[in-house]
Amino acid sequence: MSQVEAVRSACGESCDPPRHVAIIMDGNGRWAAQRGLPRSEGHRRGVEALRRTLRAASDLGIGYLTIFSFSSENWARPPAEIRDLMGLLRRFIRNDLADIHQANIKVRIIGERHHLDPEIGRLLQEAEDLTRGNTGLVLVVAFNYGSRQEIARAARRLAREVAAGHLNPEEITAEVIGTQLDAPDLPDPDLIIRTSGEQRLSNFLLWQAAYSELVFVPTYWPDFDQAALESAIAEYRRRERRFGGLAARAGT
Ligand code: FPP
C-alpha cells in the first residue's frame, strides 16, 4: 500500500489528496551535468518523469495538476536549448495526446499564445480541443507562461473595460481581477512543489499561490516519481492551513 493510500485508509475522507497540485519541474540541467550528459538528455528524461507524474496524479485522485513547462523568461536560454524544449513539447503532444485522451485527462493551457510558432500553437489547441469533454484529471500546461505577464494581461483587459465606460474602477476587486486570469475557472493550487532544492516561485502562479502550501524537494526533476509525489503530499498534510484566520483547518 502506498503512503497516501495508507493514510487515506487510516483517516477516511479528511485525507483526500489535495485538489490542485502545481509543479515547478526544476533540475533537468543539473541532473544531466551530474552524469556528464548534455542538458537535452536531462530534458528528455524530464518528459519521462512527467509521464510518471501524470499517471501517479491520476491514480491518487488529484483533480488538477499544473506543470511549469516553459516560462516567459526561458526565451533567454541559448537558441539550441529553446529548439530542444520546443521539439520535446511537439513530440510530447504528438506521441502522448492519444494516451492522455484515453486516460480521460483534460488538457488546459495557460500562458501567452500569440507569437508562438504556429505549429506549436496548433498542437496546444488540438490538445485542448480533443480532451475538452474529458472528466478525469485536469492537466494545466503553463507554456510561455509568466505570472506577472498574466496579471498584466488581466489589468489591460479591465483597463479597456473602464476606458469603454463598461466598468467603474471602484468595482475592481481581487475577485474581478481573478476572473480575467488565463484559467479563471480553476481552483487555486493547494500545494506547489518545486524540485531540485531551489526555494522560489520564479514568476509561477504568483496570484493563485496566495494560500498555497509550498513544498521544496531536493530531487532533480528527472528522478521525480510517485513516491516523491506522495512524500510531498504527506508533507502538505502536516501543514496547518489557516487562510489568514485563526481556526485551524486540516491540510486538505
Ligand atoms: C528546468 O530544468 C526545466 C525546464 C526549463 C523545462 C521543463 C521541461 C520539461 C520537464 C520537459 C519538457 C516537457 C514538456 C511537456 C515541454 P533546468 O533546465 O532549469 O535545470 P537546471 O536548473 O538544473 O539547469
Side-chain angles (χ1 to χ4, degrees):
M1 191 184 289
S2 70
Q3 260 190 69
V4 167
E5 281 162 354
V7 171
R8 201 189 285 168
S9 72
C11 66
E13 270 181 20
S14 65
C15 287
D16 281 347
R19 187 170 178 214
H20 184 171
V21 176
I23 308 187
I24 302 176
M25 309 180 289
D26 194 15
N28 295 347
R30 277 164 286 168
W31 181 93
Q34 240 179 17
R35 289 161 179 78
L37 297 168
R39 292 177 60 82
S40 56
E41 183 58 15
H43 293 315
R44 198 185 67 72
R45 296 291 290 263
V47 176
E48 287 174 17
L50 173 58
R51 290 192 184 104
R52 283 196 297 275
T53 305
L54 259 180
R55 267 195 305 276
S58 283
D59 291 350
L60 294 172
I62 289 165
Y64 302 82
L65 178 73
T66 298
I67 52 161
F68 204 4
S69 63
F70 192 85
S71 80
S72 309
E73 289 74 27
N74 284 153
W75 294 108
R77 294 194 176 202
E81 181 161 348
I82 293 174
R83 270 197 303 279
D84 276 344
L85 288 167
M86 296 293 158
L88 279 178
L89 178 78
R90 271 197 296 270
R91 280 199 295 283
F92 177 68
I93 298 181
R94 286 200 193 111
N95 297 337
D96 291 53
L97 185 57
D99 289 344
I100 285 176
H101 185 42
Q102 179 74 24
N104 196 24
I105 294 172
K106 177 174 179 163
V107 178
R108 297 282 301 271
I109 312 291
I110 56 174
E112 174 63 66
R113 276 196 250 186
H114 298 128
H115 316 302
L116 280 181
D117 169 89
E119 197 199 348
I120 298 263
R122 265 196 307 278
L123 285 167
L124 294 174
Q125 192 60 50
E126 184 188 333
E128 277 193 321
D129 290 346
L130 179 70
T131 62
R132 195 174 305 281
N134 289 348
T135 54
L137 174 74
V138 178
L139 170 66
V140 185
V141 180
F143 191 80
N144 193 21
Y145 175 84
S147 192
R148 288 179 168 180
Q149 291 82 344
E150 178 188 34
I151 294 167
R153 278 195 292 283
R156 274 198 299 277
R157 281 188 210 115
L158 291 172
R160 278 188 218 111
E161 290 294 297
V162 170
H166 300 318
L167 183 68
N168 179 340
E170 302 309 315
E171 292 166 348
I172 301 179
T173 59
E175 286 70 31
V176 169
I177 293 175
T179 65
Q180 299 304 314
L181 297 176
D182 289 354
D185 53 318
L186 303 188
D188 288 343
D190 300 292
L191 165 63
I192 299 181
I193 301 169
R194 181 172 189 147
T195 59
S196 92
E198 306 289 347
Q199 303 195 359
R200 55 179 172 269
L201 284 177
S202 301
N203 204 14
F204 183 51
L205 304 178
L206 301 181
W207 181 276
Q208 299 87 337
Y211 289 103
S212 303
E213 294 297 328
L214 311 182
V215 172
F216 301 103
V217 302
T219 317
Y220 291 146
W221 175 251
D223 288 330
F224 198 80
D225 58 8
Q226 171 145 356
L229 178 61
E230 293 193 5
S231 132
I233 292 174
E235 165 66 27
Y236 162 82
R237 288 195 201 294
R238 288 192 284 273
R239 307 276 176 87
E240 186 187 298
R241 303 187 77 191
R242 289 196 295 275
F243 298 92
L246 293 177
R249 282 159 66 172
T252 48

